[in-house]
Amino acid sequence: DGGITQSPKYLFRKEGQNVTLSCEQNLNHDAMYWYRQDPGQGLRLIYYSQIVNDFQKGDIAEGYSVSREKKESFPLTVTSAQKNPTAFYLCASSFTPTGSNQPQHFGDGTRLSIL
Amino acid sequence: SQQGEEDPQALSIQEGENATMNCSYKTSINNLQWYRQNSGRGLVHLILIRSNEREKHSGRLRVTLDTSKKSSSLLITASRAADTASYFCATDRMRDAGGTSYGKLTFGQGTILTVHP
């Protein structure tokens, strides 16, 4: 089955700790995205990558970092600099960067909480 | 800032009724997309409508787009309890007059739809 796998489903962070959220896709998509969703809110873009070894900041990149060393993988690190990390994190991918009229496909999210 | 503003924020209807959700946006777009999210899950793509299209259908879903008013609507006909979810519009904004995309979507705040059996 093709799709996007996010892990873990639930994650707890201690003060001062960096944590990494995993996102893997086997859809052969070029573009990948990370979003943050707070309760009752829409999605806000953290980082996105249109091609391997390249990524751009989204609207709320501060306190987060990413890498795109493989086409299939786009891990997100929530650093200790992110003071309010409690949220639902969603990873998505699309066949080509949006603008070629392609939809985004989403994983089932990781819920991050502070201990 | 959010490009899309959705209306209403919440909608409660009975099974069999139609549900209409609206989305307004501020800048020129290449396309507008509607997504559905069940509680605690990821988003699922429903329909994409291009800027040169006015209406699209998919099963019980009907989407309209009015670029002169910068607005779109999603109609779900003959709703079912299983349609209970949050619905989001997302825009692929145009960077310039040539239609270049920013390469990313901007999501609205969503409409929470509850369909009572």
Side-chain angles (χ1 to χ4, degrees):
Chain A
D1 266 344
I4 299 181
T5 302
Q6 290 189 241
S7 62
K9 192 170 178 66
Y10 299 95
L11 187 59
F12 298 92
R13 196 192 87 169
K14 295 179 183 178
E15 292 289 337
Q17 185 182 45
N18 293 353
V19 291
T20 297
L21 284 61
S22 170
C23 178
E24 302 277 333
Q25 55 98 358
N26 60 4
L27 299 167
N28 198 32
H29 285 174
D30 290 308
M32 297 186 75
Y33 312 83
W34 272 107
Y35 296 93
R36 170 182 172 137
Q37 186 177 33
D38 291 284
Q41 301 292 313
L43 278 63
R44 291 185 290 168
L45 183 64
I46 305 173
Y47 269 98
Y48 62 111
S49 168
Q50 297 179 343
I51 197 168
V52 175
N53 292 321
D54 186 45
F55 50 82
Q56 289 81 39
K57 293 182 180 179
D59 300 318
I60 54 165
E62 187 173 347
Y64 300 97
S65 66
V66 293
S67 63
R68 186 85 188 277
E69 296 176 1
K70 297 188 300 182
K71 188 176 185 178
E72 301 80 16
S73 179
F74 191 39
L76 173 74
T77 296
V78 184
T79 74
S80 57
Q82 172 50 246
K83 297 307 179 188
N84 183 25
T86 297
F88 190 48
Y89 290 87
L90 287 160
C91 179
S93 69
S94 65
F95 189 61
T96 57
T98 307
S100 301
N101 296 308
Q102 296 290 327
Q104 291 186 8
H105 299 255
F106 283 79
D108 264 343
T110 292
R111 192 166 298 280
L112 176 62
S113 303
I114 294 289
L115 278 178
Chain B
S1 63
Q2 294 291 337
Q3 160 85 322
E5 303 237 346
E6 290 170 74
D7 169 55
Q9 290 187 319
L11 181 60
S12 182
I13 60 175
Q14 295 296 127
E15 225 171 13
E17 294 180 341
N18 295 343
T20 299
M21 289 158 267
N22 302 296
C23 171
S24 61
Y25 57 92
K26 298 174 184 174
T27 62
S28 296
I29 62 172
N30 287 308
N31 65 69
L32 185 144
Q33 303 179 29
W34 284 92
Y35 289 81
R36 165 194 170 127
Q37 183 181 34
N38 286 81
S39 182
R41 302 295 300 273
L43 277 69
V44 174
H45 179 260
L46 296 175
I47 287 186
L48 182 153
I49 186 165
R50 303 181 186 194
S51 60
N52 61 353
E53 297 175 317
R54 292 296 165 259
E55 188 171 311
K56 282 191 86 167
H57 296 256
S58 176
R60 292 184 295 114
L61 307 180
R62 172 178 169 251
V63 168
T64 61
L65 178 65
D66 187 336
T67 53
S68 66
K69 295 181 179 177
K70 291 186 169 57
S71 68
S72 174
S73 67
L74 169 67
L75 168 67
I76 304 174
T77 60
S79 63
R80 305 166 182 168
D83 293 328
T84 294
S86 294
Y87 292 82
F88 294 91
C89 69
T91 53
D92 172 16
R93 292 179 294 152
M94 207 180 285
R95 186 197 293 265
D96 53 42
T100 306
S101 168
Y102 282 96
K104 57 183 180 177
L105 293 177
T106 304
F107 284 82
Q109 302 282 12
T111 293
I112 300 171
L113 174 65
T114 304
V115 182
H116 300 280

